[in-house]
Amino acid sequence: MPTNLLKEYNALLDWLYADFWENIRSIYRVFARDFIEKAPVLFNGQVVHPLPTDGGEQMERQFEHLTTVVVDKATNKRSFDQQRAIRIHWILHHLMMKKSVNLLLFFVPREQRVYILDRDEKYVIILEKFRKESDFFLLTAYLLEDDSFRKILKRYEREGEIL
Protein backbone atom coordinates (compact mmCIF):
# COMPACT_ATOMS: atom_id res chain seq x y z
CA MET A 1 0.00 0.00 0.00
CA PRO A 2 1.38 3.44 -0.86
CA THR A 3 2.53 5.21 2.29
CA ASN A 4 0.83 8.50 1.39
CA LEU A 5 -2.55 6.84 1.91
CA LEU A 6 -1.54 6.18 5.52
CA LYS A 7 -0.65 9.79 6.33
CA GLU A 8 -2.83 11.72 8.73
CA TYR A 9 -3.02 15.38 9.76
CA ASN A 10 -0.48 17.05 10.37
CA ALA A 11 2.05 14.81 8.66
CA LEU A 12 3.04 15.86 5.15
CA LEU A 13 2.65 13.63 2.13
CA ASP A 14 5.90 12.20 0.82
CA TRP A 15 7.49 13.05 -2.49
CA LEU A 16 8.42 9.38 -3.02
CA TYR A 17 9.32 8.95 -6.65
CA ALA A 18 12.03 10.24 -8.94
CA ASP A 19 9.37 10.68 -11.63
CA PHE A 20 7.25 13.85 -11.20
CA TRP A 21 4.11 12.22 -12.64
CA GLU A 22 4.35 9.23 -10.28
CA ASN A 23 4.34 11.69 -7.39
CA ILE A 24 1.29 13.44 -8.81
CA ARG A 25 -0.49 10.08 -9.15
CA SER A 26 0.36 9.27 -5.54
CA ILE A 27 -1.07 12.57 -4.33
CA TYR A 28 -4.11 12.17 -6.58
CA ARG A 29 -4.86 8.80 -4.93
CA VAL A 30 -5.07 10.62 -1.59
CA PHE A 31 -7.33 13.28 -3.15
CA ALA A 32 -9.55 10.57 -4.69
CA ARG A 33 -9.84 8.78 -1.34
CA ASP A 34 -10.88 11.99 0.44
CA PHE A 35 -13.07 13.67 -2.16
CA ILE A 36 -14.27 11.17 -4.73
CA GLU A 37 -14.69 7.95 -2.76
CA LYS A 38 -16.13 9.73 0.32
CA ALA A 39 -18.60 11.86 -1.65
CA PRO A 40 -20.51 13.76 -0.58
CA VAL A 41 -18.02 15.70 1.53
CA LEU A 42 -19.72 17.64 4.30
CA PHE A 43 -18.87 20.70 6.37
CA ASN A 44 -21.23 21.45 9.28
CA GLY A 45 -23.79 19.13 7.70
CA GLN A 46 -23.70 20.99 4.38
CA VAL A 47 -22.37 19.55 1.13
CA VAL A 48 -19.04 20.85 -0.18
CA HIS A 49 -19.07 20.81 -3.98
CA PRO A 50 -16.09 20.95 -6.35
CA LEU A 51 -15.63 24.16 -8.30
CA PRO A 52 -18.01 24.40 -11.25
CA THR A 53 -16.45 24.00 -14.67
CA ASP A 54 -17.41 24.59 -18.28
CA GLY A 55 -16.86 21.17 -19.77
CA GLY A 56 -14.28 18.76 -18.46
CA GLU A 57 -14.29 16.87 -15.20
CA GLN A 58 -15.09 18.86 -12.06
CA MET A 59 -12.97 16.71 -9.74
CA GLU A 60 -9.96 16.90 -12.07
CA ARG A 61 -10.27 20.67 -12.06
CA GLN A 62 -10.64 20.70 -8.27
CA PHE A 63 -7.45 18.64 -7.89
CA GLU A 64 -5.59 20.95 -10.24
CA HIS A 65 -6.83 24.00 -8.36
CA LEU A 66 -5.83 22.59 -4.96
CA THR A 67 -2.32 21.65 -6.11
CA THR A 68 -1.40 24.68 -8.21
CA VAL A 69 -0.95 28.41 -7.72
CA VAL A 70 -1.53 31.33 -10.10
CA VAL A 71 1.82 32.47 -11.52
CA ASP A 72 0.48 34.94 -14.10
CA LYS A 73 -2.62 36.92 -13.13
CA ALA A 74 -3.06 38.35 -16.62
CA THR A 75 -3.48 34.92 -18.22
CA ASN A 76 -4.54 33.06 -15.05
CA LYS A 77 -1.71 30.57 -15.75
CA ARG A 78 -1.19 28.12 -12.90
CA SER A 79 1.87 26.16 -11.85
CA PHE A 80 2.23 23.11 -9.61
CA ASP A 81 2.84 23.96 -5.95
CA GLN A 82 4.38 21.12 -3.96
CA GLN A 83 3.59 22.82 -0.63
CA ARG A 84 -0.13 22.73 -1.43
CA ALA A 85 -0.01 19.20 -2.79
CA ILE A 86 1.68 17.60 0.22
CA ARG A 87 -1.04 19.02 2.50
CA ILE A 88 -4.05 17.99 0.41
CA HIS A 89 -5.16 15.46 3.04
CA TRP A 90 -5.43 18.24 5.63
CA ILE A 91 -8.53 19.61 3.91
CA LEU A 92 -10.90 16.77 4.77
CA HIS A 93 -9.53 16.66 8.31
CA HIS A 94 -10.55 20.30 8.79
CA LEU A 95 -13.88 20.02 6.96
CA MET A 96 -14.82 17.14 9.26
CA MET A 97 -13.91 19.38 12.24
CA LYS A 98 -11.49 16.83 13.68
CA LYS A 99 -9.39 19.67 15.04
CA SER A 100 -11.03 22.06 17.48
CA VAL A 101 -8.08 23.64 19.30
CA ASN A 102 -6.64 26.86 17.87
CA LEU A 103 -8.96 26.74 14.87
CA LEU A 104 -10.76 29.90 13.76
CA LEU A 105 -13.93 29.55 11.69
CA PHE A 106 -15.50 32.71 10.39
CA PHE A 107 -17.85 33.94 7.68
CA VAL A 108 -17.34 37.12 5.66
CA PRO A 109 -20.83 38.17 4.46
CA ARG A 110 -19.58 40.57 1.76
CA GLU A 111 -17.64 37.73 0.09
CA GLN A 112 -20.10 34.97 1.04
CA ARG A 113 -17.06 32.96 2.15
CA VAL A 114 -16.20 30.78 5.11
CA TYR A 115 -12.60 30.71 6.30
CA ILE A 116 -11.26 27.76 8.26
CA LEU A 117 -7.99 28.98 9.72
CA ASP A 118 -5.65 26.57 11.47
CA ARG A 119 -3.59 28.93 13.60
CA ASP A 120 -1.04 26.29 14.62
CA GLU A 121 -0.15 25.31 11.07
CA LYS A 122 -0.94 28.69 9.45
CA TYR A 123 -3.16 26.89 6.98
CA VAL A 124 -6.43 28.16 5.53
CA ILE A 125 -9.34 26.56 3.71
CA ILE A 126 -11.78 28.86 1.94
CA LEU A 127 -15.34 27.85 1.09
CA GLU A 128 -17.84 29.94 -0.84
CA LYS A 129 -21.60 29.81 -0.42
CA PHE A 130 -23.27 27.74 -3.15
CA ARG A 131 -25.74 30.07 -4.83
CA LYS A 132 -28.51 30.86 -2.35
CA GLU A 133 -28.53 27.40 -0.80
CA SER A 134 -26.68 26.37 2.32
CA ASP A 135 -24.05 24.26 0.51
CA PHE A 136 -20.51 25.38 -0.35
CA PHE A 137 -17.88 25.33 -3.09
CA LEU A 138 -14.35 24.42 -2.05
CA LEU A 139 -12.40 27.40 -3.39
CA THR A 140 -8.89 26.80 -2.13
CA ALA A 141 -6.63 25.62 0.67
CA TYR A 142 -3.03 26.58 1.26
CA LEU A 143 -0.20 27.25 3.68
CA LEU A 144 0.00 30.91 4.69
CA GLU A 145 3.12 33.01 4.82
CA ASP A 146 3.35 35.44 7.75
CA ASP A 147 1.97 38.41 5.75
CA SER A 148 -1.01 36.42 4.44
CA PHE A 149 -1.70 35.02 7.89
CA ARG A 150 -1.89 38.53 9.35
CA LYS A 151 -4.14 39.71 6.48
CA ILE A 152 -6.62 36.93 7.10
CA LEU A 153 -6.67 37.69 10.83
CA LYS A 154 -7.33 41.36 9.99
CA ARG A 155 -10.14 40.32 7.62
CA TYR A 156 -11.68 38.38 10.50
CA GLU A 157 -11.35 41.37 12.86
CA ARG A 158 -12.85 43.82 10.31
CA GLU A 159 -15.58 41.78 8.64
CA GLY A 160 -15.74 38.27 10.04
CA GLU A 161 -18.58 36.67 11.91
CA ILE A 162 -17.48 33.78 14.10
CA LEU A 163 -19.12 30.43 13.32
Side-chain angles (χ1 to χ4, degrees):
M1 172 182 264
T3 59
N4 277 339
L5 290 173
L6 301 174
K7 299 283 182 161
E8 296 181 5
Y9 172 84
N10 65 353
L12 302 175
L13 297 181
D14 292 320
W15 201 252
L16 299 167
Y17 307 100
D19 180 59
F20 174 81
W21 294 109
E22 281 299 317
N23 285 304
I24 297 299
R25 281 190 277 283
S26 174
I27 291 168
Y28 186 82
R29 282 192 290 271
V30 174
F31 172 79
R33 177 200 64 198
D34 290 355
F35 292 97
I36 298 171
E37 296 167 15
K38 285 194 181 4
V41 174
L42 301 176
F43 169 70
N44 276 352
Q46 299 164 318
V47 177
V48 177
H49 300 274
L51 289 168
T53 183
D54 295 330
E57 177 61 40
Q58 281 185 319
M59 294 310 275
E60 299 295 326
R61 180 170 185 255
Q62 186 74 71
F63 177 74
E64 177 189 359
H65 193 77
L66 293 172
T67 59
T68 61
V69 63
V70 174
V71 291
D72 183 353
K73 290 186 181 185
T75 63
N76 211 22
K77 182 178 176 4
R78 300 183 74 86
S79 180
F80 180 75
D81 183 356
Q82 186 175 353
Q83 294 305 308
R84 286 182 180 215
I86 62 176
R87 290 172 175 82
I88 203 162
H89 61 298
W90 290 13
I91 300 169
L92 185 63
H93 178 87
H94 286 86
L95 292 176
M96 293 175 66
M97 301 302 294
K98 288 187 176 181
K99 179 179 178 169
S100 58
V101 177
N102 221 2
L103 191 70
L104 177 61
L105 285 94
F106 66 95
F107 177 68
V108 177
R110 177 182 54 83
E111 299 173 340
Q112 290 294 295
R113 291 184 177 171
V114 170
Y115 290 78
I116 303 169
L117 179 62
D118 183 334
R119 292 180 181 178
D120 295 325
E121 298 293 339
K122 292 187 176 178
Y123 185 74
V124 67
I125 299 165
I126 304 173
L127 307 171
E128 188 170 288
K129 285 297 235 179
F130 182 78
R131 299 186 190 115
K132 301 218 184 244
E133 299 173 23
S134 60
D135 293 347
F136 297 99
F137 287 119
L138 174 56
L139 287 184
T140 192
Y142 56 93
L143 186 65
L144 294 163
E145 294 178 10
D146 287 338
D147 269 4
S148 300
F149 182 72
R150 283 191 294 276
K151 284 180 185 175
I152 287 183
L153 286 176
K154 285 185 187 216
R155 180 172 290 143
Y156 161 67
E157 291 168 1
R158 281 191 324 267
E159 306 175 62
E161 297 174 3
I162 197 84
L163 292 179

